[in-house]
Amino acid sequence: MSAAQPQTQRLLIAGMSCAACQHHVESALRGAAGVTAASVNLLTHTAEITLIDGATADAAMAAVRASGYEASLPTSEHAPESAERGPGLIVRAVASFAAGVAAMILSMPLMSEHAPARFTLHGMMHASEANSGDPLLAWFSRVGDPAMMRVAPWLMRLPAAGLRWTLLALTLGVMAAAGGTVYRRAWQAARRRTTNMNTLVALGTGAAFLYSAAATVFPAAFEMYGLSADVYYESVILILAFLLLGNWLEQRARLQATSALRGLSALQPSTVRVLRDGAEVELPLHAIVRGESVLVRPGERIPVDGIVVEGAAGVDESLVTGEPLPVAKGVGAQVVAGSLNTDGALTVRVTAAGAESTLGQMVRLVEQAQAAKAPMQRLADRASAIFVPVVLGIAALTFAVWMIADTPARAIAAGIAVLVIACPCAMGLAVPAAITVATGRAAQMGVLFKTPEAIERLVHVDIVVLDKTGTLTVGRPTVSAMRLLGDSIARQDVLRLAAAVESRSEHPLACAVVEYARAELAGAAIPAPNEFTALPGRGVRGTVDGRAVLAGTLALLRESGVAVVAKDEHQHTAVHLAVDGEHVAVFEADDAARAEAAATVQRLLAMGYEVEMLTGDTSAAAERVGRAVGIENTRGGLLPAAKLAAIVNLQRYGHHVAMVGDGINDAAALAQADCGIAMGSGTDIAVAAGGVVLMGTAAHNGLAALPAAIRLSRRTVVVMRQNLMWAVGYNLLAIPLAAGVFYPAYGILLSPVVASAAMALSSVSVLANSLRLRGFRA
């Protein structure tokens, strides 16, 4: 029986507000039946789960819903949406701010009531400040009292009881309209015996409201026990207002951070014009099948990967090559989905559409990279998991200490400030925000980071190892001559047999032999091989018309027992042919270095990297190309195992290696390297083995983007570290500040309102710092 194959599934998650929510959703997913791994992205509100063979996402989605959040498939018509969305969010924030200002104005007469000033360690305190635990409101009252006496003296004469009841009604209205989501999510978390950011805000505002309501309803009871019947209604309202404002700013930053991925997705049109039965029909993209012909007018995006069968046009392929100049496309040329037809009408035969197209694969790889977690995020995740309970403990301790040292009003204000200033969101967003922006920006440059780990690994690289054929060279060598090594087989038969066995190989040298043979045979039929085996790094073996044919390196011929009668030419790359155990011919081929190869190598050297070449081609051919592009250290004649051993040997000496390749024979080395970089124009197995993919086409393999990819990875890691330092540093400073630790020495107390503003802006600052990566220039 074959082993069960795991499969990945992407889910949309709604209801998360902080890193603690992210942790709870991940725990729920990992405990679901059929799920073997799960990763949740707080920034994009998505989850990537791995399911055992045959399992569906139903159990996983049910587990998410049971934990108090919403989940759906990306294709669902009822994808979950955030409760904090769009214009309604900013409207509620503005309305809450207006209500908060009104509450502060109405609170000023209450602040000016009777209580005498009291002496402190730092001198005489204003009377209103002595009665209030909120320094901001005390300052507002002190500044505003004289002005209000001049502008609205009637306000200062209103009865205190009436003002308190008015503030109570106003606060209840704001809590219901603006804070309903916060309290609902906090209650859901409490029912699950968990905590999150909403827990902190709900407890802080709830405590302030309950104390204020008690002082409003039972003021006599407070006076009986010598307590001041202070109210904190304005703090409750403004805390919620700042929370809504922060959510709105954060939402805008999230949209900007994910704009690159949405931009990629938008490059594929939803409908396509197809030729069916000689008529032009408009169909949805998902209905297009391979082999059909689609029409692309000037100025339109090409919707599919395909081959031009009619027409000519200039096509902007900067999506995959990074080059802005249009490329001339005529009959027989390949085009990729998402590229722009600048000036001509084209008819394109479909080779891949939708998710299977180049653009579809790019979108999928970017989504996977954004959903995965970077190693740097693991520490933040561990801290976030215990963050809220720790803050609750600190708030309780703060309240207890201030109750002993000062008044209940001061204790309540300090406890509330601790609760609302703490921000696990910043820690949860620090790394994924940078990863999301960076992977999106990289994709716009034609670079795909398949995992966040690849970004971190690329930063530590000190040696860049490059394959030759198809990476440094054009990858389309041409055969300049064929030499017969005897007269036992006619020239025409040699060409037929060589073309037959090489026609099944995807290696550039094999393609060159086939093209040369077809030109020489002038249209004569080429038989199909009866048997065929590809021998990576060495050549091919097959049976054609009952004859055993071997094509490849001299080493392959020798190990197969063939008596070699010719040597490799130093100025050429050679393909040797043996038929029925006899060495019969040599094909001499040349592969020119790519135009961008020399400049890329020079940039890498200027950046301080060692650059080496490993190739399966001859040492002489490797040296020739090395001289052309500026690489001194070259090694040729390497089989895949030897390439792998060379990478291992470099790592054994303490080097961190980036391997760049495009062929089957590079796959093992790509997988072994600290960072494998595959050419997007290469084989599927090479792309699968690499952690980074340099997108390209047959004309432009994307190698020029390599230095920019390295620079972007460096910049991204710097931003990730800055974000983490800010997130951790903010909480390490803000929480003691809110608790009043600095009050004895410096007289600093933090208002709950100011604390809520700091909390709201902390995660926004992390996102804003990450958004700087959008301006990265290649």
Side-chain angles (χ1 to χ4, degrees):
M1 293 179 64
S2 61
Q5 296 297 316
Q7 55 181 332
T8 59
Q9 175 66 62
R10 187 167 176 261
L11 301 176
L12 302 179
I13 309 295
M16 294 190 299
S17 60
C18 67
C21 300
Q22 176 188 9
H23 175 73
H24 297 326
V25 173
E26 276 188 358
S27 299
L29 286 171
R30 288 170 181 160
V35 177
T36 59
S39 177
V40 177
N41 189 317
L42 178 62
L43 182 68
T44 60
H45 284 202
T46 60
E48 195 86 13
I49 59 174
T50 302
L51 300 167
I52 61 175
D53 187 44
T56 67
D58 293 343
M61 291 191 291
V64 172
R65 294 185 187 110
S67 66
Y69 303 89
E70 289 297 322
S72 73
L73 298 174
T75 54
S76 171
E77 296 180 358
H78 304 288
E81 297 184 355
S82 172
E84 312 292 348
R85 283 184 65 87
L89 191 58
I90 188 60
V91 168
R92 283 186 288 155
V94 171
S96 298
F97 271 112
V101 172
M104 292 188 76
I105 293 173
L106 293 175
S107 298
M108 284 194 294
L110 302 178
M111 295 287 293
S112 301
E113 282 185 305
H114 39 282
R118 68 184 177 87
F119 223 18
T120 68
L121 293 175
H122 300 278
M124 189 69 70
M125 182 178 291
H126 189 270
S128 62
E129 191 174 351
N131 281 283
S132 175
D134 190 332
L136 178 67
L137 185 57
W139 173 86
F140 187 83
S141 177
R142 188 165 61 249
V143 172
D145 282 358
M148 294 305 298
M149 286 298 293
R150 291 193 301 269
V151 175
W154 56 267
L155 177 64
M156 308 304 289
R157 292 193 294 268
L158 291 176
L163 288 172
R164 288 193 180 98
W165 281 101
T166 301
L167 288 168
L168 173 60
L170 179 63
T171 305
L172 273 175
V174 173
M175 292 176 73
T181 302
V182 172
Y183 300 116
R184 183 170 61 254
R185 291 176 179 170
W187 173 245
Q188 290 171 344
R191 291 180 60 188
R192 300 188 306 272
R193 297 183 180 180
T194 60
T195 56
N196 56 34
M197 185 67 199
N198 298 299
T199 304
L200 299 179
V201 176
L203 284 176
T205 56
F209 176 77
L210 290 176
Y211 185 92
S212 302
T216 300
V217 178
F218 307 110
F222 280 71
E223 294 174 3
M224 182 184 305
Y225 291 98
L227 301 175
S228 178
D230 297 314
V231 293
Y232 298 89
Y233 293 120
E234 77 291 331
S235 294
V236 174
I237 297 173
L238 288 173
I239 287 171
L240 293 174
F242 276 117
L243 177 65
L244 291 175
L245 177 63
N247 287 343
W248 179 72
L249 292 172
E250 186 177 320
Q251 183 188 81
R252 285 183 54 121
R254 288 173 190 264
L255 291 174
Q256 292 177 342
T258 57
S259 60
L261 179 57
R262 294 196 311 276
L264 284 178
S265 302
L267 293 178
Q268 279 188 323
S270 56
T271 59
V272 183
R273 285 183 301 279
V274 187
L275 287 176
R276 287 190 176 178
D277 300 325
E280 183 179 326
V281 182
E282 189 167 298
L283 296 173
L285 180 61
H286 64 77
I288 306 303
V289 296
R290 185 177 300 178
E292 289 192 304
S293 294
V294 302
L295 303 177
V296 186
R297 294 171 181 166
E300 294 182 340
R301 292 279 176 185
I302 296 173
V304 297
D305 289 356
I307 298 172
V308 177
V309 294
E310 185 179 335
V315 176
D316 179 359
E317 295 182 325
S318 57
L319 167 74
V320 292
T321 66
E323 294 296 322
L325 297 178
V327 180
K329 298 288 184 180
V331 175
Q334 294 183 340
V335 293
V336 295
S339 53
L340 179 65
N341 177 10
T342 61
D343 53 15
L346 297 176
T347 302
V348 178
R349 187 175 71 247
V350 180
T351 57
E356 301 304 318
S357 68
T358 300
L359 180 60
Q361 293 179 47
M362 288 178 65
V363 171
R364 185 170 66 251
L365 287 174
V366 173
E367 286 179 341
Q368 290 173 352
Q370 293 180 350
K373 288 190 178 180
M376 202 178 292
Q377 192 176 347
R378 294 168 188 160
L379 178 61
D381 285 349
R382 288 197 292 268
S384 299
I386 62 171
F387 183 87
V388 176
V390 169
V391 171
L392 291 175
I394 294 174
L397 179 62
T398 299
F399 175 80
V401 170
W402 277 103
M403 278 291 290
I404 297 171
D406 208 289
T407 65
R410 188 75 75 192
I412 291 175
I416 293 171
V418 170
L419 289 173
V420 299
I421 203 169
C423 187
C425 307
M427 284 193 291
L429 293 172
V431 175
I435 292 294
T436 298
V437 179
T439 52
R441 181 68 189 99
Q444 292 173 333
M445 301 189 307
V447 178
L448 298 181
F449 291 112
K450 293 172 63 178
T451 64
E453 186 175 8
I455 296 177
E456 292 192 37
R457 285 177 172 269
L458 192 54
V459 171
H460 301 294
V461 163
D462 59 353
I463 292 182
V464 179
V465 177
L466 297 144
D467 174 47
K468 180 182 77 69
T469 305
T471 301
L472 288 169
T473 64
V474 175
R476 292 186 60 84
T478 56
V479 174
S480 56
M482 182 193 78
R483 292 187 291 116
L484 291 176
L485 303 178
D487 56 6
S488 60
I489 302 180
R491 178 182 178 85
Q492 295 294 98
D493 289 336
V494 168
L495 291 169
R496 289 175 62 255
L497 293 172
V501 72
E502 293 280 36
S503 65
R504 293 293 181 89
S505 173
E506 61 186 5
H507 195 281
L509 282 172
C511 297
V513 170
V514 172
E515 289 180 4
Y516 179 82
R518 283 177 174 164
E520 291 288 312
L521 292 171
I526 296 176
N530 304 112
E531 297 177 2
F532 173 81
T533 303
L535 306 168
R538 294 177 293 169
V540 296
R541 174 184 287 119
T543 302
V544 183
D545 294 338
R547 309 191 74 169
V549 182
L550 202 62
T553 63
L554 279 177
L556 174 62
L557 268 62
R558 289 192 181 102
E559 73 181 38
S560 301
V562 176
V564 174
V565 295
K567 295 182 180 180
D568 285 333
E569 297 291 338
H570 289 287
Q571 64 270 30
H572 299 290
T573 298
V575 178
H576 296 266
L577 186 74
V579 178
D580 293 332
E582 181 183 353
H583 193 184
V584 297
V586 179
F587 292 87
E588 298 173 351
D590 295 295
D591 188 9
R594 290 186 176 273
E596 67 269 25
T600 300
V601 170
Q602 292 307 310
R603 288 192 186 98
L604 292 172
L605 292 172
M607 293 168 69
Y609 293 100
E610 293 184 40
V611 182
E612 299 185 6
M613 180 201 301
L614 302 178
T615 179
D617 208 341
T618 64
S619 297
E623 291 174 3
R624 176 175 58 82
V625 174
R627 286 194 298 271
V629 301
I631 299 178
E632 296 182 1
N633 194 349
T634 64
R635 293 178 60 186
L638 300 180
L639 298 177
K643 284 187 177 183
L644 174 63
I647 299 296
V648 171
N649 189 56
L650 289 171
Q651 293 170 328
R652 186 176 294 123
Y653 282 95
H655 292 293
H656 293 87
V657 185
M659 171 69 194
V660 188
D662 73 323
I664 294 176
N665 57 335
D666 300 319
L670 288 169
Q672 175 62 38
D674 296 275
C675 185
I677 304 173
M679 310 308 300
S681 55
T683 61
D684 291 342
I685 191 170
V687 172
V692 182
V693 181
L694 303 179
M695 299 301 295
T697 63
H700 189 292
N701 73 340
L703 183 65
L706 177 57
I710 296 174
R711 287 173 45 233
L712 178 58
S713 69
R714 289 176 175 177
R715 187 85 57 84
T716 302
V717 169
V718 168
V719 170
M720 288 160 57
R721 289 170 177 165
Q722 289 173 343
N723 287 350
L724 282 174
M725 288 176 63
W726 161 252
V728 174
Y730 162 81
N731 283 294
L732 288 178
L733 176 63
I735 293 175
L737 185 63
V741 171
F742 302 105
Y743 182 75
Y746 304 103
I748 298 175
L749 278 178
L750 203 61
S751 163
V753 175
V754 174
S756 67
M759 176 272 294
L761 294 176
S762 61
S763 56
V764 175
S765 63
V766 166
L767 288 167
N769 188 47
S770 301
L771 286 173
R772 295 189 300 118
L773 293 170
R774 294 177 67 194
F776 177 84
R777 293 290 178 264

